[in-house]
Amino acid sequence: MAFSAKTPRILINPDHRNLLHPKPYSSKSLCFSNHRKVREISSTKPHQQLSVLNTASFNTQDPNSHLHLLCLHGRLQKALSYFNSMQELQIPLDEDAAVAMCGDLTRARLLFDKMTRRDRISWNAIISGYFENEECLKGIRLFFTMRERGVDPDLMTMTSVISACESLGDERLGREMHGYVIVTGMSDDVSVSNSLIQMYSSLGHWEAAEKVFDRMEWRDVVSWTAMISGYENNVLPDKAVDTYRTMEMQGFVPDEITLASVLSACACLGKLDMGIKLHELARRAGLISYIIVANTLIDMYSKCKCIEKALEVFHNIPDKDVISWTAIILGLRLNNRCFEALIFFRQMKLSLKPNSVTLVSVLSACARIGALMCGKEIHAYALRTGMGLEGFLPNALLDMYVRCGRMEPAWNQFNSQKKDVAAWNILLTGYAQRGQGTLAVEFFNRMLESNVYPDEITFITLLCACSKSGMVTEGLKCFHSMELEYGITPNLKHYACVVDLLGRAGQLEEAYEFILEMPIKPDPAIWGALLNACRIHRQVDLGEFAAQHIFESDTRSIGYYVLLCNFYADNGKWDEVAKVRKMMKDNELTIDPGCSWVEVKGKIHAFLSGDNFHPQINEIKAALEVIYEKMKLAGLDSPECDVINEVEASKAEIFCGHSERLGVAYGLINTAPGTPIWVTKNLYMCQSCHSTIKFISKIVRREISVRDTEQFHHFKDGVCSCGDVGILGKG
DNA sequence: CAATCCTATC
C-alpha cells in the first residue's frame, strides 16, 4: 500500500492529503474510490495472493494490507484473529483495512465493542464503516458517543461525518459540523473543505459551497471538481464551464470526475466544440478508459446531435455498463432513431439487467414510434421485477399508452399511480394530440379541482391544444391567466405557442405585433411559428421576413430549411426551393427520410419512404397498385405532395413510395380481414396519403389508425376522425 | 456519468 498506518497529523503536505482522506464525494463516489483501492491491492495475481495468505504467520512489514487481503478473500475467521494480534501488538488499523473490515459490519461492531484500547483510528474505522454501509444515522450516533468519551475527532473523522450529513440530507447538522471544523482549525484542511463544498452543493446550497471554495487558501483538483459538479448539479452549467476554464488556466490537470462533470455541462449547453476538445484531452490523458468519462461523452455527443460520434464512443467501450446502454438508447431516441433504440435494448438484455432509468428511456422511444407491444412487454417486465413504481417509470408508462393512442390502459395506469403534475400533463397531451381543445380545457379544470398546481408544461400543452382546435379566444385567455392567476412567467415556448395560435387562425398581423411586443428577445422558434403560419396562409413577404430572422441565428437546424422549402413550394416559387436545397447541401445537412412503423403480431416493421428492401415489397406494391387503380375508377386522383422528398419518378411509383402507405399495405396483407391496423409515422402525413387511407378504410372495411408527429388519424368507412382539419394547409 | 410531460419544421 502506498502509505503506512499512522494517525493523520493536522499539517500535511497538501499533495498527500488525498491519500490520507477519502475523497469528499457522495457516498456513491466513496464506494467508487474504495473500489479503486481494492483494485490496486488485488492487482497482484490471485494465486500469488493466496499463497501469501496461506503461508502467512504474521506479516510485520505491512500488517494492514495483509489484513485487507484476508478480508477480500472472505477469510473472515483468519482476519479476526489477525486483527486481534494487531491489537495485542498495538498496531493501529489503517483506513483501508478498516474499510475492508467493515464489509461485515456486525462483526466489526462486535470486535469494536470487545476492544480494550480504542484509539481514534478504531473509532474512525467503525464510524466510517457505518457510513459505507449506508447506516449513516448509526454512524453519526457513534460519532457523538466518541466525543462524549473524550476522543477528539480528526480530519478523517470530520470529512466522513460531513459526507454523512450529505447522505442524510441533514443540512442543520452539516452546518453544525462546519462550525465545529472552523473552531478547531480543521477547516483549513483541503479535504475537509472539499467535503463541505460537496455537502452544501448536493443539498442545493451552491452559494454556501461557493463561499467555502472562495475562502480556501489552496485548492486541489478535488476542490475544483467538487465546485464544478456542484454547479452542474444545481443546473448552472454556465458557471460549471467557467470554473473549469479557470481551473485549467491555473494549471490544474482534470481527473476523470472533473471531465465527467464538465462534459455534462457541455451536453446541457450544447457546447459541441468544447466537448470535442475535452474528448481529445481525455484520449491523450488516458482518462477515456474510465467508463464514467465514456458514458458522459455518449450523452454529450447525443445531446449535440452527433449521434454517430456517440455510437463510436459507445462501441469502443470494452465493458459497457447499464449507464452506457441507457445513454446510447436515450441518444438514439433523441436523434429520432427510436427503432434502433429498441434494437439496442434487445441487445442489452442479453448481457445486462436494465434498471428503471433504462426502461423509462426505452418507453419514451416506444411512445414516439407507437410501439405498443414493446411498451406492454416493458410494462410486464417492470411489474415482474417490482420496478413499476420506481422514479419516472409510472409516468413513462402512462405516456407510452397515451402516445400509442390506447386511452383505456392509459386511464388504468393513471388511476393506479401517483398523480403528479407530469401525469396530468401527459393525459392533457392526449387531448392536444387529437385536436380536442374543448376537452383539454375541461381536463385542465379537473386538474385544478384535484388540487394539482399547473406548471410551465401544462400551459404549453394547453396552448397547443387550443391552437390545434382554432380556439384563439380561449387560448389567449389561458395565456394571460398563467401569469396573473398562477404566477408562471411565460417563456419562449409559451410565446411560440401564442404566435402559432394566432398565425394558424390567420391573424398574421396580430401574430407579428405580438412578437414585436414580447418582453424577451424572440428566438428562431418564434419566427419559425410565424413562418409556418405564413406558409399556411400564403403570405410571402412576411414569411421571407421571418425566415431572415431565423437564419440570422440558426443555420444548423434542419427543420427550418424544411419549413422554408415547403413555404416556397406551397407558394409555387420553385427556384427559391432549389436555392434552399443548395443551402442545405452546402451546410451538409440531410433530411430524415419519411419512416413508418406498423406492428404485426407483436413485431415492429419499419418502412422508409421509397423502400425497396423489404422482403415482401413486391406484394406490398402490387396491393397498392390495385388500390390506385380502384381510386382512379372512383374518380379520385392522388394530389401532388411531399415536395421535399419528391423524386424523378412516375406518379404510380411516387404513390407507392410513401412510407405510411407501405405500412398500411403491409398490415393489410399480413393480418386477418377486419383486424384494425395501427401505423406510426415520423413526419406529417401528407394530404395525398390522408385521402388514400380514407379510401382504403372504406373499400377494405377496416379501421386504420395513423399517428403522425402532430396527431392521431382514426380512419373508418372512408372518414377520418380529424374531420380533415388536421391536414389542412399541408399542400 | 444516464431519466417522463413541452411550440413550429424533418
Side-chain angles (χ1 to χ4, degrees):
Chain A
M1 231 173 307
F3 53 94
S4 62
K6 57 177 159 228
T7 313
R9 288 160 293 137
I10 297 288
L11 286 166
I12 314 165
N13 178 336
D15 295 330
H16 296 151
R17 285 175 189 234
N18 283 327
L19 295 174
L20 287 168
H21 306 304
K23 281 194 173 186
Y25 290 115
S26 65
S27 56
K28 264 188 202 159
S29 323
L30 268 174
C31 293
F32 177 75
S33 64
N34 285 330
H35 281 313
R36 216 172 347 159
K37 281 181 194 158
V38 170
R39 232 183 291 138
E40 276 164 27
I41 292 163
S42 44
S43 59
T44 34
K45 291 187 182 111
H47 64 272
Q48 282 174 355
Q49 285 178 12
L50 280 178
S51 68
V52 170
L53 293 180
N54 289 333
T55 53
S57 47
F58 195 86
N59 184 343
T60 40
Q61 284 258 299
D62 198 351
N64 270 303
S65 53
H66 194 84
L67 175 63
H68 199 160
L69 275 180
L70 287 168
C71 294
L72 271 178
H73 286 269
R75 311 253 166 129
L76 221 76
Q77 213 47 50
K78 223 169 182 171
L80 289 177
S81 65
Y82 202 86
F83 177 77
N84 283 333
S85 321
M86 280 173 72
Q87 285 282 303
E88 278 160 28
L89 291 166
Q90 300 190 7
I91 299 169
L93 198 61
D94 81 4
E95 192 191 320
D96 275 310
V99 168
M101 290 301 293
C102 292
D104 188 334
L105 201 54
T106 341
R107 289 192 116 125
R109 182 60 196 263
L110 262 167
L111 260 172
F112 178 80
D113 290 339
K114 274 199 282 183
M115 277 167 81
T116 41
R117 292 167 28 87
R118 288 182 203 143
D119 58 9
R120 194 183 288 136
I121 295 181
S122 2
W123 281 97
N124 284 351
I126 191 75
I127 290 173
S128 61
Y130 278 114
F131 294 157
E132 290 291 323
N133 288 277
E134 285 166 20
E135 301 228 36
C136 293
L137 220 52
K138 284 188 186 162
I140 294 280
R141 253 183 244 141
L142 215 53
F143 167 73
F144 284 111
T145 319
M146 167 185 181
R147 289 183 58 190
E148 278 164 22
R149 302 274 165 90
V151 183
D152 284 335
D154 61 8
L155 295 172
M156 155 89 193
T157 329
M158 289 319 291
T159 44
S160 62
V161 167
I162 291 168
S163 304
C165 294
E166 177 199 335
S167 321
L168 283 170
D170 193 336
E171 188 205 333
R172 197 193 50 81
L173 189 65
R175 288 196 189 274
E176 210 173 284
M177 293 302 114
H178 189 179
Y180 179 79
V181 294
I182 289 176
V183 172
T184 53
M186 282 194 266
S187 60
D188 293 337
D189 177 74
V190 183
S191 294
V192 169
S193 290
N194 289 352
S195 60
L196 283 169
I197 295 172
Q198 174 69 26
M199 185 265 297
Y200 279 126
S201 59
S202 98
L203 296 180
H205 300 283
W206 61 272
E207 281 121 323
E210 205 173 50
K211 232 179 232 169
V212 176
F213 181 78
D214 287 341
R215 283 187 191 157
M216 286 171 83
E217 215 168 303
W218 23 256
R219 314 179 177 100
D220 60 9
V221 196
V222 181
S223 330
W224 286 96
T225 305
M227 202 58 238
I228 292 168
S229 75
Y231 284 134
E232 223 284 305
N233 294 331
N234 285 279
V235 207
L236 296 160
D238 283 305
K239 276 179 176 276
V241 167
D242 288 345
T243 310
Y244 175 77
R245 291 216 170 102
T246 320
M247 168 188 162
E248 232 181 7
M249 273 191 314
Q250 294 193 12
F252 286 92
V253 180
D255 66 7
E256 73 279 9
I257 300 169
T258 327
L259 273 186
S261 305
V262 69
L263 274 169
S264 265
C266 289
C268 200
L269 297 166
K271 279 186 177 293
L272 178 62
D273 45 342
M274 185 165 176
I276 291 172
K277 274 187 198 139
L278 291 165
H279 186 179
E280 191 44 47
L281 189 137
R283 202 166 12 213
R284 265 185 283 125
L287 293 173
I288 198 143
S289 55
Y290 284 100
I291 199 152
I292 183 174
V293 173
N295 289 349
T296 30
L297 277 170
I298 294 175
D299 185 52
M300 185 275 293
Y301 279 124
S302 317
K303 292 208 171 114
C304 294
K305 303 290 166 79
C306 290
I307 187 66
E308 293 304 328
K309 290 291 278 180
L311 283 164
E312 192 189 311
V313 175
F314 175 80
H315 288 306
N316 282 328
I317 303 176
D319 294 303
K320 304 167 183 62
D321 65 4
V322 185
I323 295 178
S324 325
W325 284 95
T326 307
I328 198 69
I329 288 171
L330 217 53
L332 287 165
R333 197 227 63 171
L334 209 68
N335 287 272
N336 279 329
R337 287 165 64 163
C338 295
F339 194 72
E340 284 162 85
L342 300 189
I343 295 170
F344 271 66
F345 177 61
R346 196 178 303 157
Q347 267 176 9
M348 170 197 180
K349 280 195 296 186
L350 299 177
S351 55
L352 274 172
K353 261 198 152 112
N355 63 21
S356 72
V357 181
T358 321
L359 298 189
V360 167
S361 316
V362 184
L363 280 171
S364 140
C366 291
R368 214 154 258 247
I369 58 170
L372 181 71
M373 291 313 283
C374 185
K376 274 186 172 172
E377 230 172 77
I378 291 165
H379 193 168
Y381 181 84
L383 293 177
R384 220 168 40 235
T385 50
M387 281 193 272
L389 297 172
E390 237 176 75
F392 293 143
L393 201 49
N395 282 344
L397 285 165
L398 180 62
D399 180 52
M400 183 272 295
Y401 284 121
V402 169
R403 294 188 94 97
C404 288
R406 305 308 203 274
M407 291 317 281
E408 258 191 55
W411 277 106
N412 289 339
Q413 174 63 33
F414 183 71
N415 289 327
S416 66
Q417 68 167 75
K418 201 177 115 221
K419 296 164 193 58
D420 56 8
V421 215
W424 287 87
N425 288 346
I426 290 163
L427 278 176
L428 199 60
T429 54
Y431 294 109
Q433 267 185 351
R434 286 169 178 73
Q436 298 167 328
T438 323
L439 288 176
V441 174
E442 271 171 32
F443 189 73
F444 173 69
N445 289 326
R446 262 179 75 188
M447 172 180 171
L448 295 177
E449 281 160 23
S450 311
N451 289 321
V452 175
Y453 210 77
D455 66 0
E456 307 189 331
I457 293 171
T458 315
F459 284 100
I460 294 173
T461 315
L462 201 53
L463 285 168
C464 168
C466 289
S467 171
K468 288 205 175 120
S469 316
M471 295 161 57
V472 180
T473 325
E474 191 69 39
L476 287 176
K477 209 178 104 194
C478 159
F479 176 74
H480 293 303
S481 75
M482 68 179 280
E483 185 148 35
L484 294 174
E485 284 177 47
Y486 303 98
I488 299 168
T489 316
N491 62 33
L492 281 167
K493 292 177 179 179
H494 298 106
Y495 285 104
C497 287
V498 176
V499 173
D500 183 59
L501 175 81
L502 294 167
R504 262 178 214 262
Q507 305 185 17
L508 291 166
E509 281 296 313
E510 288 86 341
Y512 179 51
E513 269 163 37
F514 180 81
I515 296 177
L516 293 181
E517 282 165 17
M518 275 173 59
I520 32 178
K521 190 177 181 290
D523 68 345
I526 303 275
W527 295 112
L530 186 67
L531 176 57
N532 188 45
C534 293
R535 177 183 68 82
I536 297 171
H537 298 285
R538 318 239 156 150
Q539 289 277 326
V540 181
D541 292 343
L542 189 57
E544 286 187 325
F545 178 73
Q548 257 174 17
H549 280 282
I550 294 172
F551 291 100
E552 254 168 33
S553 49
D554 191 338
T555 54
R556 292 287 321 156
S557 298
I558 179 78
Y560 297 120
Y561 291 92
V562 174
L563 182 55
L564 190 60
C565 256
N566 288 332
F567 164 79
Y568 280 129
D570 289 352
N571 286 291
K573 300 204 162 197
W574 299 100
D575 42 336
E576 297 294 334
V577 173
K579 274 187 205 162
V580 180
R581 280 191 179 174
K582 194 179 170 298
M583 270 166 73
M584 289 167 68
K585 229 179 215 166
D586 293 345
N587 283 320
E588 290 175 341
L589 295 170
T590 48
I591 35 165
D592 289 350
C595 187
S596 292
W597 296 271
V598 59
E599 247 183 31
V600 170
K601 291 166 197 144
K603 269 184 96 176
I604 306 158
H605 299 260
F607 296 89
L608 288 175
S609 70
D611 200 336
N612 278 315
F613 300 102
H614 194 276
Q616 278 179 274
I617 194 66
N618 290 331
E619 277 175 74
I620 293 169
K621 291 211 161 163
L624 281 172
E625 268 160 39
V626 171
I627 292 162
Y628 189 39
E629 289 307 316
K630 283 192 181 169
M631 274 182 87
K632 272 203 290 195
L633 280 176
L636 295 163
D637 199 8
S638 71
E640 283 301 329
C641 58
D642 203 7
V643 178
I644 200 90
N645 280 325
E646 171 202 325
V647 278
E648 306 272 330
S650 76
K651 206 164 184 182
E653 266 177 274
I654 291 177
F655 180 85
C656 298
H658 284 212
S659 65
E660 58 267 54
R661 291 178 212 193
L662 297 175
V664 169
Y666 182 83
L668 285 176
I669 298 170
N670 292 288
T671 56
T675 318
I677 296 169
W678 292 74
V679 172
T680 313
K681 195 186 173 182
N682 67 338
L683 314 173
Y684 289 158
M685 190 169 19
C686 67
Q687 194 166 32
S688 157
C689 282
H690 197 262
S691 42
T692 307
I693 297 171
K694 275 204 291 191
F695 184 78
I696 296 176
S697 77
K698 192 167 150 191
I699 57 166
V700 301
R701 302 206 179 170
R702 291 226 210 181
E703 283 180 45
I704 301 172
S705 300
V706 179
R707 198 211 64 189
D708 63 17
T709 41
E710 196 158 7
Q711 66 183 96
F712 273 101
H713 301 270
H714 298 294
F715 299 93
K716 198 183 173 184
D717 293 329
V719 180
C720 179
S721 62
C722 76
D724 298 351
V725 178
I727 44 114
L728 264 189
K730 295 266 187 264

